[in-house]
């Protein structure tokens, strides 16, 4: 694959102050028999941090280029993306409209009022709701309908799309991150990331490939099963390769997804996820969120237990942040705690 020299032709809003730390987890390394590192994208800074800041640099760069004064975005009720978008909009002097989708059934009152929901309200975001959790086309269409209303009020809206029929601009943030990681650590054996929309997973895989690293990239399914996620990643990588003007085939050959940590589904805790969350906290003093990073660590533990990650290998886990969601899940998390 030809190496991509830069991403300068894509407009980019400056939301990050620099590379995020790469931290060795000494106690877990000793316990698991591997050389384990954490890429701390929970420390991106803006609005409680998290991986979405990298993606928003490219979405909001495009929005500013188009003269937008309002951004619209859709996500789950406890979405880290919509909270981060509201924070980025505030930083850039823009307004935000957040559409919250009903993706996780049977949740308590805290899920709808605490965590990311509370933070977005403090940030002054407008909220709207969408009743379906698995209708990306419909959710995007609802945003466009609201955008048309805003135009009649003299506003200039910009929609950050969820569906796959739009260029994955946000994935460019993780192309940058993949290259950043390879500069920080040129010789790792594998990196483990959550795989949901596919932007973080696809971007990181592409960045690692463009840095001419043959390290394995494992995507831990957080929303769909292995087969559905593989199909989604194929589309994401094809669209990303088209955006960058590179050959997609070498990227498609590196898709590796696992779904053992997915049950009982998106945004739902299992004993496997809860145990991973508690192990990271009680061994390294680092919190994970129940939707993405705890499932990512659970997937990593599965790879170690099955021998797919071998003793002594140097492994990086991407910490995607999302920590405000812990408070939205307080009832579920507290149920088995002393």
């Amino acid at each position: 694959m030809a190496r991509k020299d830069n991403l300068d032709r894509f407009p980019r809003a400056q939301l990050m102050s620099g590379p995020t730390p790469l931290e060795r987890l000494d106690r877990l390394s000793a316990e698991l028999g591997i050389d384990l590192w954490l890429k701390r994208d929970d420390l991106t800074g803006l609005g409680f941090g998290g991986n979405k800041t990298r993606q928003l640099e490219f979405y909001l760069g495009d929005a500013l280029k188009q003269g937008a004064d309002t951004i619209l975005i859709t996500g789950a009720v406890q979405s880290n993306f919509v909270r981060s978008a509201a924070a980025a909009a505030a930083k850039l002097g823009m307004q935000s409209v957040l559409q919250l989708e009903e993706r996780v059934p049977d949740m308590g009152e805290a899920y709808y009022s605490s965590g990311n929901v509370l933070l977005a309200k403090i940030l002054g975001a407008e909220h709207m709701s969408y009743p379906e959790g698995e209708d990306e086309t419909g959710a995007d269409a609802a945003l466009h309908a609201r955008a048309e209303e805003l135009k009649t009020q003299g506003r200039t809206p910009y929609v950050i799309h969820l569906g796959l029929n739009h260029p994955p601009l946000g994935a460019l943030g993780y192309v940058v991150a993949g290259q950043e990681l390879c500069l920080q650590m040129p010789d790792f054996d594998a990196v483990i990331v959550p795989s949901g929309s596919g932007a973080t997973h696809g971007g990181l895989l592409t960045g690692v490939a463009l840095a001419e690293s043959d390290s394995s990239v494992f995507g831990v399914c957080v929303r769909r099963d292995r087969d559905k996620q593989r199909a989604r990643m194929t589309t994401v990588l094809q669209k990303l390769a088209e955006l960058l003007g590179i050959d997609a085939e070498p990227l498609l050959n590196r898709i590796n997804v696992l779904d053992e940590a997915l049950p009982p589904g998106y945004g739902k805790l299992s004993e496997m996820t809860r145990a991973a969350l508690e192990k990271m906290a009680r061994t390294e003093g680092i919190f994970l969120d129940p939707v993405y990073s705890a499932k990512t660590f659970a997937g990593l533990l599965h790879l170690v237990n099955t021998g797919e990650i071998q003793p002594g290998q140097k492994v990086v886990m991407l910490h995607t942040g999302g920590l405000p969601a812990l408070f939205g899940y307080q009832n579920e998390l507290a149920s088995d705690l002393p």
Side-chain angles (χ1 to χ4, degrees), residues 30-275:
E31 180 178 331
L32 300 177
I34 61 175
D35 188 7
L36 181 59
W37 296 73
L38 199 63
K39 178 63 170 161
R40 298 296 302 270
D41 273 18
D42 55 321
L43 302 179
T44 52
L46 180 68
F48 265 91
N51 65 315
K52 303 305 183 183
T53 305
R54 291 188 187 269
Q55 298 185 31
L56 286 162
E57 287 200 322
F58 287 90
Y59 280 122
L60 293 192
D62 189 47
L64 291 172
K65 182 181 178 180
Q66 296 185 31
D69 57 23
T70 307
I71 61 168
L72 299 92
I73 188 170
T74 190
V77 172
Q78 281 294 333
S79 167
N80 303 304
F81 206 173
V82 301
R83 176 258 305 164
S84 296
K91 179 178 178 65
L92 297 174
M94 305 169 76
Q95 295 175 287
S96 57
V97 178
L98 314 182
Q99 178 173 259
L100 305 185
E101 306 168 22
E102 291 290 344
R103 291 188 195 171
V104 188
D106 305 320
M107 299 299 287
E109 186 274 335
Y111 183 78
Y112 294 93
S113 61
S114 187
N116 287 311
V117 176
L118 174 62
L119 295 177
K121 289 181 177 179
I122 293 172
L123 288 162
E126 174 190 324
H127 281 81
M128 52 190 286
S129 60
Y130 191 74
E132 300 292 329
E134 298 298 331
D135 180 13
E136 293 183 344
T137 301
D140 282 344
L143 289 183
H144 277 281
R146 179 60 182 138
E148 290 302 314
E149 294 174 353
L150 293 172
K151 287 179 183 178
T152 67
Q153 302 169 17
R155 308 258 287 276
T156 306
Y158 180 90
V159 174
I160 298 175
H161 297 98
L162 182 63
L164 285 174
N165 54 337
H166 299 276
L169 282 178
L172 296 175
Y174 270 88
V175 176
V176 174
Q179 295 174 322
E180 175 183 303
L181 171 61
C182 290
L183 286 173
Q184 290 174 311
M185 180 178 286
D187 59 346
F188 61 94
D189 296 296
V191 58
I192 320 295
V193 303
S195 193
S197 73
T200 296
H201 179 187
L204 193 75
L205 189 159
T206 301
V208 168
L210 290 175
E212 301 179 350
S213 167
D214 60 0
S215 303
S216 298
V217 180
F218 292 97
V220 177
C221 298
V222 298
R223 188 170 178 187
R224 303 166 191 85
D225 65 29
R226 186 192 309 257
D227 292 340
K228 290 179 181 177
Q229 191 62 18
R230 176 176 288 277
R232 186 180 185 92
M233 290 307 305
T234 297
T235 301
V236 169
L237 289 168
Q238 287 171 335
K239 287 186 172 292
L240 181 55
E242 182 180 350
L243 199 60
L244 290 168
I246 61 176
D247 182 13
E249 194 63 29
L251 303 176
L252 302 182
N253 292 335
R254 295 178 67 160
I255 297 174
N256 198 338
V257 292
L258 58 148
D259 60 6
E260 284 79 5
L262 176 62
Y266 175 82
K268 286 291 189 179
L269 281 167
S270 66
E271 183 53 41
M272 183 180 184
T273 301
R274 182 191 297 274

Side-chain angles (χ1 to χ4, degrees), residues 318-336:
L318 178 68
H319 191 329
T320 50
L323 299 182
L326 282 166
F327 301 100
Y329 280 79
Q330 62 190 43
N331 293 336
E332 290 73 19
L333 290 167
S335 61
D336 290 336

